Amino acid sequence: MNLQSVFNLIEICARHGLERAVISPGSRNAPLTIALARNQNIKCRSISDERSAAFIALGIAQQLGKPTLLCCTSGSAALNYAPAIAEAFFQQIPLIVLTADRPPEWIDQYDGQTIRQNEIYGKHVKKSF
């Protein structure tokens, strides 16, 4: 697997001033976790409970007045970020959220943790890619 694009994404974030990340580790987001942990300009915290992680990131962003990055694995992990993301949206607190996903062909095949993640946060984010 070529991980250079993942390292490039994290480096772009760092060059744009990202200083803090909260990671909810999992197998699908391992490449993102590694890239974040290896970037010397980003201070990372690892919080396994996604709902708690999201609110911790919200608090960090609120206190610093700077974007904080959230990173989780696929499936319901991403859904557990939703309450804090909605709160951040309405309070205009900057969060950047990176979620892993399963291959599209696995969706709707009764494979564990494969949910429809496209536009998962609906209108509670400025942009979704």
Side-chain angles (χ1 to χ4, degrees), residues 59-77:
I60 292 168
Q62 184 179 41
Q63 290 301 305
L64 296 179
K66 296 180 178 180
T68 299
L69 187 140
L70 266 169
C71 178
C72 72
T73 192
S74 61
S76 61

Side-chain angles (χ1 to χ4, degrees), residues 1-46:
M1 172 186 266
N2 182 355
L3 299 178
Q4 191 58 51
S5 60
V6 174
F7 281 90
N8 291 347
L9 173 64
I10 300 307
E11 181 59 29
I12 288 167
C13 290
R15 288 185 185 189
H16 281 277
L18 181 75
E19 298 173 359
R20 301 278 197 273
V22 178
I23 302 166
S24 302
S27 62
R28 291 279 163 194
N29 69 328
L32 289 164
T33 299
I34 292 167
L36 285 162
R38 288 185 182 172
N39 190 297
Q40 296 178 359
N41 298 311
I42 301 173
K43 182 177 179 181
C44 298
R45 295 175 192 250
S46 179

